[in-house]
Amino acid sequence: VSTAARVSHLIDNSALATAAHSLDLCVHCGFCLQACPTYLALSDENDSPRGRLLLMRSVVEGDLSINDPTLQKHIDRCLGCRACESACPSGVPYGHLLEATRATIATTRPIPLLARVTLTVMASRVLRGMLFFFARLLRGSGIARWLSRVPGKPGLAFAMLESTRCPLPQRGYNAVGNGTRGRVATLTGCVMAGLFEATNHATERTLVVNDYQIARAPGQGCCGALHAHAGDIERARALARRNIEAFEESGADAIAVNAAGCAAMMRDYGQLLERDATWRARAVTVAAKTRDITELLAASGPRTGSAIPCVVAYDAPCHLVHAQRVTRPPLVILQAIPGLVVSALPDADQCCGGAGIYNLLESSLSREILTPKLATIARTGATLIATGNPGCIMQIGAGLLHAGSRVRCVHPVDLLDASYAEAR
Ligand code: SF4
Ligand code: SF4
């Protein structure tokens, strides 16, 4: 009898009950264990993908309460990095099952206060505008850099803010292209728009240089990824609907996203709204148009700029490599920049421990997961780490700052843009 046929009445009509049929895909082979950062750090089967799937199945079958603190602890500790999906030969959609479990937990246990405040701010244009205005003041005044040396959580928070400063010289230029590759709208995002404004400008300029036209989508906002990952599924759906409308109105052929976590979420809009008859088809269309920025740039060559002589190592964001299965395009971008030496980073596809707001909620485990990556980075001889996700830039960047390293994090598009600026 399938798991879906044995759903306990205790979780009737819940997100987990709806997703329960996917639990049957797991054959308990354990191939995913060595890919799981929390299992590697804690050596506890309950903190592995296979163990968590078993916990989910126990809830579905009524053997374990959704209110069980042990269940909640092991689900909370999951990074949602989806490395287990890449390792799984059976195609278990772990990420969807995790979101469904968290959404079901959120119906009986309030989302932690820090997460609730963060999610409320990100969903509100006014609140996040105010937050990022003050954050930019702290960063611009040098206070963030100075306070990043303070030990503990406060210092780490300032180090994360300081790491959003682009380490490359900022030189705008007049981007020119023939626009023959089609109309592209860009997701400006929440954190990207607030703290990575240089990368958002670089994204538009590099698209234009590579012959794309920019389509405007002024009604857009946060993609809802942080909300979906935390179990706030209704707010994630509301944010998705707003973006779908905005990108439809833009008339774009494609949607370029420079934050891996956001692109992964947008590619899932069809699934997020699959039970909404009004929005389902529209969500599927927008999801199909969504591309990581490096995919669009790699498809056009990309055009070559001037030399940027330095050594860079590439770290693959989990939501690019595992959730979207995009592996080559970021390397194509970096290798197209003259003078840039790309040094191999062992275990580049292992999670850095950032995982959205995980580093705020599970800070000590997050640091433990980051530590081996910092040691590996030190051995590459790179002066820059390129990675295409704001959470990864902030997590790795803060870790490097705290460790007193001179290595800095940068988005691959910033490097390509700097190469174009140099050429002009
Ligand atoms: S999502 Fe990442 S942390 Fe969670 S079970 Fe899968 S591999 Fe482990
Ligand atoms: S690899 Fe896939 S099938 Fe095997 S235990 Fe892990 S989730 Fe289950």
Side-chain angles (χ1 to χ4, degrees), residues 48 96 100 144 152 260 272 304 338 357 361 365 394:
S48 77
H96 291 139
L272 186 68
T304 311
I357 53 174
L361 301 174
L365 185 52
M394 292 168 83

Side-chain angles (χ1 to χ4, degrees), residues 25-33 49-50 53 84 87-90 92:
L25 291 170
C26 180
V27 295
H28 317 293
C29 63
F31 286 177
C32 53
L33 267 60
R50 183 173 64 182
L53 289 166
C84 45
C88 177
S90 296
V92 175

Side-chain angles (χ1 to χ4, degrees), residues 23-361:
L23 289 166
D24 290 333
L25 291 170
C26 180
V27 295
H28 317 293
C29 63
F31 286 177
C32 53
L33 267 60
Q34 293 304 316
C36 176
T38 56
Y39 179 72
L40 294 178
L42 301 167
S43 304
D44 183 340
E45 174 79 18
N46 289 314
D47 285 310
S48 77
R50 183 173 64 182
R52 292 185 177 114
L53 289 166
L54 199 61
L55 291 170
M56 293 174 200
R57 182 191 292 269
S58 302
V59 172
V60 167
E61 294 178 355
D63 297 330
L64 191 63
S65 164
I66 194 73
N67 294 314
D68 187 288
T70 308
L71 162 86
Q72 295 180 354
K73 177 176 79 176
H74 296 299
I75 295 297
D76 288 348
R77 279 184 185 165
C78 177
L79 292 148
C81 69
R82 296 168 67 174
C84 45
E85 284 189 32
S86 292
C88 177
S90 296
V92 175
Y94 180 87
H96 291 139
L97 284 160
L98 176 69
E99 279 178 10
T101 307
R102 286 188 169 156
T104 307
I105 289 174
T107 59
T108 60
R109 180 193 73 169
I111 293 172
L113 181 64
L114 178 58
R116 252 183 300 153
V117 171
T118 309
L119 299 179
T120 300
V121 170
M122 290 305 150
S124 158
R125 199 183 294 260
V126 174
L127 292 178
R128 68 171 187 267
M130 286 162 58
L131 173 76
F132 290 136
F133 173 75
F134 285 111
R136 286 195 300 271
L137 276 184
L138 285 171
R139 186 182 64 186
S141 64
I143 292 172
R145 182 186 307 160
W146 188 63
L147 291 177
S148 66
R149 295 177 202 135
V150 172
K153 274 191 184 182
L156 191 63
F158 283 110
M160 286 171 69
L161 176 57
E162 177 60 18
S163 65
T164 63
R165 185 197 296 271
C166 182
L168 304 171
Q170 295 301 301
R171 271 177 285 171
Y173 58 92
N174 187 24
V176 181
N178 62 30
T180 53
R181 286 195 158 264
R183 284 165 57 76
V184 176
T186 59
L187 176 80
T188 49
C190 50
V191 177
M192 289 305 292
L195 295 176
F196 292 88
E197 48 301 21
T199 306
N200 274 1
H201 292 313
T203 297
E204 289 204 355
R205 284 193 295 257
T206 53
L207 282 168
V208 171
V209 170
N210 285 281
D211 300 330
Y212 293 100
Q213 291 172 45
I214 301 298
R216 299 287 161 203
Q220 62 169 299
C222 172
C223 69
L226 293 176
H227 305 80
H229 297 163
D232 189 354
I233 215 82
E234 282 313 320
R235 201 144 43 162
R237 287 183 178 132
L239 292 167
R241 289 186 193 103
R242 187 173 69 182
N243 278 346
I244 290 164
E245 202 154 49
F247 287 115
E248 283 174 343
E249 284 169 8
S250 75
D253 305 311
I255 302 157
V257 185
N258 57 15
C262 307
M265 179 75 256
M266 289 183 64
R267 282 181 148 152
D268 267 352
Y269 274 178
Q271 178 126 18
L272 186 68
L273 295 168
E274 69 182 341
R275 290 176 172 260
D276 185 330
T278 312
W279 289 85
R280 185 175 46 228
R282 296 166 71 180
V284 167
T285 304
V286 164
K289 287 184 178 181
T290 302
R291 296 281 179 280
D292 183 75
I293 176 65
T294 59
E295 290 182 277
L296 290 170
L297 294 173
S300 67
R303 285 190 193 280
T304 311
S306 285
I308 304 284
C310 71
V311 181
V312 63
Y314 173 66
D315 189 66
C318 297
H319 282 86
L320 194 57
V321 66
H322 301 305
Q324 298 181 68
R325 306 290 163 101
V326 173
T327 53
R328 286 288 305 153
L331 291 166
V332 169
I333 303 303
L334 297 175
Q335 284 157 357
I337 301 171
L340 197 74
V341 176
V342 183
S343 171
L345 179 65
D347 296 326
D349 60 350
Q350 280 263 339
C351 185
C352 63
I357 53 174
Y358 184 95
N359 48 7
L360 301 176
L361 301 174

